[in-house]
Amino acid sequence: PGIPPRGAMYGGMHFPRLKVHCGISNPDHVELRIANLSLIWKRGACMLIDDSFEHEIENSANQRVRTILEIKVEHPDLRASGYRIDEDGGRKIRMRKLVHEL
């Protein structure tokens, strides 16, 4: 699909999930910036990111390939709020209340 634009923004309020990022290979020490933090993926190290916070990754055409294992997890507060994650688009959607007849 190509390289996302330089300084592309990701996440935000529409993505109420947690992500685990595990560095496999990051030869150019590309950073993920979230709030006032700059995080560098390192081989064998994992970090937990709240995807509801906007974050930025600097990309350029001359960077070597980086490999990051990404695991998406439903945010623990999401179900209590009456929402769930849409499996296809990753967006939050309101859960329907189930009515049980006795």
Side-chain angles (χ1 to χ4, degrees):
I3 297 171
R6 179 177 169 86
M9 296 298 290
Y10 300 92
M13 294 288 289
H14 298 291
F15 296 96
R17 61 184 171 212
L18 301 177
K19 287 184 178 179
V20 179
H21 281 197
C22 298
I24 296 172
S25 173
N26 185 12
D28 293 321
H29 307 288
V30 175
E31 295 180 345
L32 172 122
R33 286 188 295 282
I34 185 167
N36 61 347
L37 298 173
S38 290
L39 307 168
I40 298 174
W41 292 284
K42 296 180 182 171
R43 181 180 178 89
C46 297
M47 57 180 114
L48 180 66
I49 299 165
D50 185 335
D51 203 26
S52 66
F53 289 89
E54 286 189 351
H55 48 281
E56 179 181 26
I57 301 168
E58 284 289 331
N59 293 297
S60 68
N62 62 349
Q63 288 174 346
R64 293 172 284 177
V65 174
R66 67 181 175 272
T67 305
I68 310 299
L69 173 65
E70 178 180 77
I71 302 167
K72 297 175 184 174
V73 181
E74 186 174 283
H75 197 287
D77 295 335
L78 189 62
R79 290 217 182 243
S81 71
Y83 289 88
R84 68 177 179 82
I85 297 288
D86 172 37
E87 294 175 15
D88 296 324
R91 302 250 180 205
K92 84 175 179 182
I93 57 175
R94 182 167 284 294
M95 293 183 347
R96 286 190 246 161
K97 293 187 177 186
L98 300 176
V99 178
H100 297 285
E101 292 184 28
L102 298 176

